[in-house]
Amino acid sequence: MKEARFPVMEIFGPTVQGEGMVIGRKTMFVRTAGCDYRCSWCDSAFTWDGTGKDDIRLLTADEITAELRALGGDGFAHVTLSGGNPALLSQLGTLIDALHALRIEVALETQGSRWQDWFLQIDELTISPKPPSSGMNTDWPTLDDIVRKLEAAARNFSLKVVVFDDADLAYAKQAHERYPQVPFFLQAGNANLKETHAIRMLPYLVERYEWLIGKTMADAQFKRVRVLPQLHAWVWGNKKGV
């Protein structure tokens, strides 16, 4: 049987995870190409818009783990699978198995548009449905099915919604009310994607985070939520590979 190969755009780290349930965690990143969404504010559009096509390498699980070791040595025990949308890759379970064999935990974020059986192998799974500002529409029945399967298997997963405006906040409330039992994160959105200097970015990001805190604290329906910044943007702005 032919060994699976995966379209990899970036492998980098170690660095800190900047988002979601594993924020602040020391991790390596494997970023795959391709996405079934076209979010208006995507900060990794190069994975699907054609601008990064020359960076795509088709790598096996063994080649990916070897490159992770070459970069991170023995100084990490956690890998984040990112995209794009890694959930497009049906055979990704072979990479997860290879990482687990090395006693490395695996995190993944996906928008909840597609189920893969290997979701049940992920140690920390973030489902991040996209709000109105993205220009995308949520397939709620599919998301319902994903949440049901993860809960039935008692997997460690959470929901995260990125918020840019009041319409996004209303959408986040809808998602939180639909799945009240699932750990829920709100994250301040970053619409300033062309600024590459972190020092100039920081006042804007702090203002957006302060706005989201104020909105959330004043809303009685957001009792069990965690409000996050996009941590890596605070430190590095929109720089890639960190």
Side-chain angles (χ1 to χ4, degrees):
M1 185 175 178
K2 192 173 182 180
E3 190 172 6
R5 290 184 175 272
F6 308 104
V8 175
M9 299 204 73
E10 294 183 297
I11 298 177
F12 61 93
T15 186
V16 293
Q17 171 59 257
E19 302 182 353
M21 67 190 295
V22 286
I23 191 169
R25 180 80 185 263
K26 182 180 183 180
T27 191
M28 300 289 291
F29 273 86
V30 177
R31 187 184 300 280
T32 61
C35 192
D36 49 334
Y37 276 20
R38 299 292 184 267
C39 295
S40 62
W41 36 252
C42 180
D43 61 3
S44 53
F46 60 91
T47 63
W48 51 262
D49 67 4
T51 59
K53 63 182 179 180
D54 292 339
D55 295 327
I56 299 173
R57 295 177 293 152
L58 295 176
L59 303 180
T60 66
D62 287 343
E63 288 169 341
I64 292 170
T65 56
E67 190 163 331
L68 287 166
R69 285 299 192 198
L71 287 171
D74 293 324
F76 69 97
H78 190 271
V79 168
T80 298
L81 304 178
S82 184
N85 184 12
L88 298 179
L89 305 174
S90 62
Q91 294 179 292
L92 201 59
T94 59
L95 174 59
I96 299 164
D97 286 339
L99 292 168
H100 282 165
L102 297 171
R103 301 176 66 111
I104 295 170
E105 292 182 310
V106 182
L108 176 129
E109 179 174 318
T110 180
Q111 58 261 42
S113 59
R114 184 173 303 200
W115 169 263
Q116 295 288 357
D117 288 343
W118 52 256
F119 280 7
L120 302 179
Q121 300 168 242
I122 296 292
D123 299 292
E124 294 154 330
L125 177 58
T126 298
I127 306 294
S128 183
K130 305 310 178 187
S133 63
S134 71
M136 299 293 103
N137 296 315
T138 299
D139 183 343
W140 291 107
T142 295
L143 188 54
D144 290 345
D145 186 58
I146 291 172
V147 169
R148 179 185 60 79
K149 288 176 177 176
L150 292 170
E151 287 185 324
R155 299 309 300 161
N156 181 23
F157 78 104
S158 65
L159 287 166
K160 185 193 80 176
V161 176
V162 178
V163 176
F164 287 82
D165 53 31
D166 287 329
D168 288 355
L169 201 63
Y171 171 93
K173 190 177 300 184
Q174 178 186 3
H176 186 39
E177 291 174 349
R178 193 177 187 101
Y179 314 110
Q181 72 284 8
V182 180
F184 193 81
F185 295 81
L186 294 175
Q187 182 176 297
N190 171 19
N192 192 9
L193 297 178
K194 294 186 178 180
E195 178 57 71
T196 58
H197 295 280
I199 296 300
R200 291 202 289 263
M201 278 282 291
L202 190 55
Y204 162 77
L205 294 171
V206 171
E207 185 274 328
R208 297 308 303 152
Y209 186 43
E210 185 177 16
W211 173 84
L212 183 57
I213 290 172
K215 288 284 188 175
T216 306
M217 298 306 111
D219 195 321
Q221 290 177 277
F222 284 125
K223 288 187 174 71
R224 295 180 178 88
V225 299
R226 300 182 188 184
V227 186
L228 301 179
Q230 196 179 38
L231 183 61
H232 57 282
W234 284 42
V235 180
W236 295 292
N238 293 306
K239 185 178 179 181
K240 288 174 58 179
V242 291

